[in-house]
Amino acid sequence: RRRGAAMQALWSAAVRLLVLVRTWTLVAGQVRYSVPEEARVGTVVGRLAQELGLGDAEERRLRVVWQGRRAGVEVSGASGALVVSSRLDREELCGKSAPCSLRLELLQERPLRVLHVELEVTDINDNAPLFPAARKNISMAESSLPGSRFPLEGASDADIGANAQLSYTLSPSEHFRLDLQRSEDIRESLFLVLLKALDRETLPAHRLVLTASDEGRPSLTGTMELLISVLDANDNAPQFNQSVYKVQLPESAPDGTLVMRVNATDPDIGGNGEMLFTAIDTFPPEGLKLFILNPDTGEIRLTGALDFEDVRSFEIQIEATDKGAPPLSGHCKVVVEVLDVNDNAPEVWVTSLSVPVSEDAAVGTVVALLSVSDRDSGSNGRVQCSVWPASPFVVESRFPGSYSLVLREALDRERVSEYEVEVRAEDGGKPPLRARRVVRVAVSDVNDNAPAFSQAVYTVVARENNAAGAELARLWARDPDEAENGRVSYSLWEGGAGASVWSVGWRPASSYVSVDGESGRVWAVRALDYEELQVLQFEVRAVDAGEPALVGNATVQLFVVDENDNAPMLLPTTGGGPGLAPPLGPVAGSVAGASVEAVLGQDSETLWAWAAWGAPAGQVVAKIRAVDADSGYNAWLRYEVLEPRGKGPFRVGVYSGEVSTARALEEADGPRQRLVIVVRDHGEPSLSTTATLSVSLVEGGEKMLAVAGSSSNVLLPAEGGLTAAGAASASTNVWLVVAICAVSSVFVLALVLYGASRCAPRAAVLSGPAAATLVCASEVGSWSYSQRQSRSLCVTDGAGKSDLMVFSPNLPPPPSVPAVKDTSQAEPSCLLD
């Protein structure tokens, strides 16, 4: 209670003193206020109107008059109080001055009066300490002694008083500490003190944080990073990773071989860590000429030839020196052990050679004698010989160091004319060394190959009527032998070769063709006639000039192609004399038969026939019989009525040659009709012949007999069948058909066998025959056409309605083939004339 009474008395005295000071201030005409910096806008600094007794401030129009920059306060018009109008920053207004007092003038307009107000802006701790830079780099020599001092630049604080009082701290470090020196006369000094010697190789850089703190409430801090780089000093000598290096080197190592690389380390940097290597001693001394040391990399390379038999090992003393000041050095020894290797290859010499070798030489013949040696000893000097690649020769050892090249199988010069025999010698070293010697062995020829044609059978196609001396084909036989053994001559072999011609009998092949002995060309001796000769088969022989001579054979089949060189011919009668056609038997459905008489003329033939009045349409009156000696298309005949033109009472079958009534015969047609019929073949150009048919029109059978009795040239049919002459003609036709069919079948069989042989890979037929084909033609013109040789037969039972055509091979004209002029070219399959 006493303490409370004392405090109350103290506060009462203070209030009285304050009232006394304020009263004195007002009496003196000056008011003093205090406001902290950074006060909020609107904060009341003092109540001017109330404290100065001015009354209504708005009525007296009281305002602050600024001189220079604005102070950030104004007079409120309503209350007359002095309030903060903008941000107040003591450091901006006064800087480091203390205290910060602003003198304000207040102007009262009613009545006019000037009042002075002093405004003190007090400091608050609103500025943290600030270092000149966020990082400071410091370089210290590795050799710096403990206790060395390094000045640091302190921080600054824009505040004043206690808010600007700074203290410093350093992040923990065993090597450094801070030393702060304060003085009333001079500015404080800050030092970084080295406590422990530095070692760049252990820690090349130190990172520390320097912190500055003020004494404000609350305290503010600022930091700066210290990066301390330790500068190197030459305090480490080069060190080799081994004091003695051992390496093995074969004596066959070539110049420039890397023996080894010595390695030394120096933890210093820059020139203090750069080293130079030097060979200061070598034992034996000649090693200085055999080895070279790279002073920068420490590589030791071989510069000469090693010989195990002379020196088995070398010792080299090496020194590594750095470039520091003073330079430091380290030492090591390199021991090089020389290894013995198989460094001498075998040597092979040919002491005797017997060439060329005849291709019929016996197995076991010695071709060459060889001598083999190796300067090495032991297993390195033992040599094995072999032949490469595989060949008809083999190496045999007679005694150590002597070998023979022997024939082990038969030779064939046509397959290989010369051998390059490589004799390989290999010693028993590790690795083995090899030597080789090439022996050229030529093979001499013997006549062991007969000439051979590329084909066993040649097919040649030639047109008939070719000129004599025309080239028909060119044959070529190959003889792989050389020189005289391979020179071939050709000839036509007469043994059994030829052709049977129906008109003259058998003729030899030489009467048709000849063979040139040098070139193998086949020539035509005479013009060929298809009607005389269709196929000629002969044999050509090829004989070489060797001793003894060898022979090759080839068969040539010459096919003659038909040309349209024969005009159609009318067939004469078989029962009468010349000029009479065989009578026709009765036609089914006819009223009467017909007889035909042929009269041979110079340009045409006249035929006589009769027909009865009233004969219906389609009645066969006569049949024109014609044949063409050609074959195939050239022998295909066509019949046409040449006269009379237009619509007459008669017509002729286009392919059958049957003359029949086109309509019923009437008396108005007259007693006789004359027809001119032309027979054409289909050749190019077409050939033809004409026949004149005179048809007499009579009445009934009696009149017909009367006509027959009055004319010896008219043949009457036998009652109900053929006359004797007609029967004989029919019988002849039947046997003719049988004979032609038999010949055609044999020929077709021959063609089939020949075609099968031509299917072999080496057969080369440019154009060949085909199988025979049977076709029939009727009067209505149905026709199955094939280019074949034909024979026309008619087998009739009554009046014939169709012909039986038997075709034998006739080859179409092949494409033109240019004659081969160069005998060295490949042989053609056949040549056409």
Side-chain angles (χ1 to χ4, degrees):
R1 182 178 299 178
R2 291 179 180 177
R3 188 175 180 180
M7 290 296 294
Q8 187 176 3
L10 183 59
W11 276 106
S12 178
V15 170
R16 290 193 188 102
L17 179 59
L18 181 60
V19 171
L20 180 61
V21 171
R22 172 67 71 181
T23 300
W24 181 83
T25 302
L26 291 176
V27 172
Q30 184 174 358
V31 180
R32 182 182 181 86
Y33 293 105
S34 175
V35 62
E37 64 174 331
E38 304 294 342
R40 289 182 298 178
V41 176
T43 301
V44 177
V45 178
R47 302 183 181 276
L48 285 174
Q50 183 178 356
E51 293 180 357
L52 295 177
L54 299 179
D56 189 357
E58 185 176 4
E59 181 180 352
R60 294 183 180 275
R61 301 179 68 177
L62 186 65
R63 58 186 175 87
V64 177
V65 179
W66 299 100
Q67 295 180 359
R69 57 185 180 179
R70 298 177 63 87
V73 293
E74 65 182 7
V75 178
S76 175
S79 62
L82 186 64
V83 297
V84 177
S85 61
S86 63
R87 175 176 176 269
L88 293 174
D89 186 359
R90 193 203 67 80
E91 289 76 26
E92 181 182 352
L93 294 173
C94 301
K96 296 292 289 185
S97 299
C100 181
S101 297
L102 302 178
R103 299 182 65 84
L104 305 178
E105 290 184 355
L106 276 67
L107 179 61
Q108 176 182 311
E109 295 184 0
R110 295 177 183 178
L112 185 61
R113 181 183 175 186
V114 178
L115 301 175
H116 295 278
V117 177
E118 184 179 350
L119 178 63
E120 180 183 0
V121 181
T122 61
D123 183 45
I124 65 172
N125 192 25
D126 59 344
N127 292 280
L130 181 64
F131 285 96
R135 173 184 293 178
K136 182 176 179 61
N137 295 322
I138 303 174
S139 297
M140 294 185 184
E142 183 181 12
S143 58
S144 299
L145 299 177
S148 299
R149 301 167 64 84
F150 302 92
L152 298 177
E153 188 176 355
S156 61
D157 195 321
D159 295 327
I160 61 174
N163 294 334
Q165 295 293 322
L166 302 180
S167 61
Y168 297 91
T169 58
L170 186 66
S171 58
S173 174
E174 62 176 339
H175 291 87
F176 301 96
R177 69 175 178 85
L178 286 178
D179 182 19
L180 180 61
Q181 296 181 355
R182 285 190 174 97
S183 175
E184 296 180 358
D185 300 332
I186 60 176
R187 187 171 177 268
E188 62 184 17
S189 300
L190 185 63
F191 294 93
L192 184 65
V193 181
L194 180 62
L195 300 178
K196 183 180 179 181
L198 300 175
D199 187 1
R200 191 205 61 80
E201 290 73 30
T202 303
L203 186 62
H206 298 263
R207 293 180 181 273
L208 304 177
V209 177
L210 177 61
T211 303
S213 304
D214 59 22
E215 296 183 3
R217 294 290 184 269
S219 177
L220 299 180
T221 61
T223 61
M224 179 176 65
E225 182 182 9
L226 300 178
L227 180 58
I228 303 171
S229 300
V230 182
L231 302 180
D232 184 49
N234 190 23
D235 56 347
N236 294 280
Q239 294 290 330
F240 288 95
N241 53 5
Q242 292 179 226
S243 60
V244 177
Y245 293 89
K246 291 185 178 181
V247 62
Q248 293 180 335
L249 193 66
E251 63 172 328
S252 59
D255 289 352
T257 299
L258 177 63
V259 178
M260 70 169 304
R261 175 183 294 174
V262 293
N263 185 26
T265 57
D266 191 327
D268 295 328
I269 60 174
N272 298 329
E274 296 178 2
M275 292 172 289
L276 293 177
F277 298 94
T278 308
I280 59 177
D281 187 25
T282 301
F283 179 81
E286 56 265 23
L288 289 174
K289 299 179 181 179
L290 294 177
F291 302 97
I292 184 172
L293 175 63
N294 189 310
D296 297 321
T297 62
E299 291 182 351
I300 302 175
R301 291 187 178 273
L302 185 65
T303 60
L306 299 177
D307 192 347
F308 175 80
E309 289 70 25
D310 292 340
V311 180
R312 297 191 177 187
S313 66
F314 295 87
E315 293 184 2
I316 306 173
Q317 293 286 344
I318 297 178
E319 178 183 69
T321 305
D322 62 23
K323 297 180 181 180
L328 303 178
S329 62
H331 301 83
C332 74
K333 179 188 291 187
V334 177
V335 178
V336 180
E337 182 181 355
V338 181
L339 300 180
D340 185 28
V341 296
N342 183 25
D343 55 349
N344 292 289
E347 295 180 350
V348 182
W349 296 278
V350 178
T351 57
S352 177
L353 180 62
S354 178
V355 291
V357 180
S358 176
E359 65 177 319
D360 60 352
V363 175
T365 301
V366 177
V367 177
L369 297 178
L370 306 173
S371 177
V372 181
S373 64
D374 192 321
R375 292 184 301 167
D376 293 326
S377 59
S379 61
N380 295 335
R382 288 194 293 268
V383 180
Q384 296 291 332
C385 290
S386 61
V387 173
W388 187 93
S391 66
F393 303 94
V394 66
V395 173
E396 296 180 356
S397 177
R398 303 299 182 185
F399 52 88
S402 179
Y403 292 85
S404 299
L405 185 63
V406 179
L407 183 64
R408 67 180 179 90
E409 62 183 43
L411 300 176
D412 185 358
R413 191 208 62 83
E414 289 70 35
R415 185 171 60 88
V416 181
S417 61
E418 185 181 59
Y419 291 89
E420 285 192 358
V421 181
E422 182 177 302
V423 179
R424 290 186 171 184
E426 178 179 306
D427 61 23
K430 299 295 183 180
L433 296 181
R434 300 175 180 85
R436 68 186 186 94
R437 176 73 62 180
V438 176
V439 180
R440 295 182 181 272
V441 180
V443 181
S444 60
D445 183 51
V446 296
N447 191 24
D448 57 347
N449 291 279
F453 290 92
S454 60
Q455 300 173 211
V457 178
Y458 290 83
T459 300
V460 180
V461 180
R463 296 182 181 276
E464 67 172 329
N465 302 322
N466 62 309
E471 182 179 339
L472 302 180
R474 180 180 299 174
L475 278 61
W476 181 74
R478 178 180 178 273
D479 192 327
D481 293 327
E482 64 178 357
E484 292 298 315
N485 296 333
R487 185 166 59 85
V488 179
S489 60
Y490 304 90
S491 63
L492 178 65
W493 185 50
E494 294 289 352
S500 178
V501 182
W502 63 274
S503 59
V504 297
W506 185 88
R507 282 184 176 178
S510 59
S511 63
Y512 295 99
V513 295
S514 66
V515 179
D516 185 80
E518 295 294 331
S519 63
R521 289 186 176 94
V522 180
W523 309 94
V525 175
R526 52 179 293 180
L528 301 177
D529 187 359
Y530 176 81
E531 289 71 35
E532 176 185 321
L533 176 68
Q534 289 81 39
V535 179
L536 176 63
Q537 179 170 309
F538 56 93
E539 186 174 296
V540 176
R541 281 191 171 184
V543 182
D544 62 23
E547 289 294 339
L550 301 179
V551 180
N553 300 317
T555 301
V556 179
Q557 292 180 339
L558 174 63
F559 288 88
V560 182
V561 179
D562 182 46
E563 294 285 340
N564 191 25
D565 57 348
N566 291 281
M569 294 193 314
L570 297 178
L571 292 176
T573 179
T574 58
L580 294 180
L584 299 176
V587 179
S590 65
V591 175
S595 74
V596 179
E597 180 181 3
V599 179
L600 300 176
Q602 188 174 15
D603 297 329
S604 65
E605 298 183 4
T606 301
L607 305 177
W608 300 89
W610 55 266
W613 283 334
Q619 172 69 53
V620 176
V621 175
K623 182 177 180 68
I624 305 301
R625 302 178 186 277
V627 68
D628 195 320
D630 295 322
S631 65
Y633 205 67
N634 298 328
W636 184 21
L637 303 181
R638 177 183 178 90
Y639 301 85
E640 300 176 3
V641 177
L642 188 62
E643 294 180 3
R645 297 185 179 278
K647 296 182 178 180
F650 296 99
R651 62 187 178 188
V652 64
V654 178
Y655 300 110
S656 65
E658 294 178 347
V659 179
S660 61
T661 57
R663 54 179 173 78
L665 299 178
E666 302 174 353
E667 293 184 2
D669 293 326
R672 180 172 297 177
Q673 290 286 332
R674 180 177 178 273
L675 304 177
V676 178
I677 298 174
V678 60
V679 183
R680 304 178 188 274
D681 59 24
H682 285 73
E684 289 294 339
S686 176
L687 302 179
S688 65
T689 187
T690 59
T692 301
L693 176 64
S694 180
V695 183
S696 299
L697 304 181
V698 298
E699 295 181 1
E702 293 82 0
K703 294 181 180 181
M704 182 174 55
L705 292 175
V707 173
S710 64
S711 177
S712 61
N713 293 331
V714 177
L715 297 177
L716 296 180
E719 186 176 351
L722 297 172
T723 63
S729 175
S731 176
T732 302
N733 289 342
V734 170
W735 285 110
L736 181 60
V737 169
V738 172
I740 292 177
C741 289
V743 173
S744 299
S745 300
V746 172
F747 191 72
V748 168
L749 179 60
L751 290 180
V752 170
L753 295 176
Y754 172 73
S757 66
R758 301 308 293 164
C759 291
R762 65 175 186 174
V765 179
L766 179 63
S767 178
T773 306
L774 295 179
V775 296
C776 289
S778 67
E779 66 175 344
V780 297
S782 63
W783 178 258
S784 176
Y785 170 69
S786 175
Q787 292 188 7
R788 307 288 189 268
Q789 180 183 357
S790 66
R791 292 292 181 267
S792 177
L793 301 176
C794 181
V795 180
T796 61
D797 184 7
K801 286 293 184 179
S802 63
D803 286 344
L804 176 64
M805 308 293 260
V806 181
F807 292 91
S808 61
N810 180 27
L811 300 177
S816 61
V817 178
V820 179
K821 298 301 182 183
D822 186 3
T823 59
S824 64
Q825 296 179 355
E827 173 194 4
S829 297
C830 65
L831 296 176
L832 299 182
D833 183 16

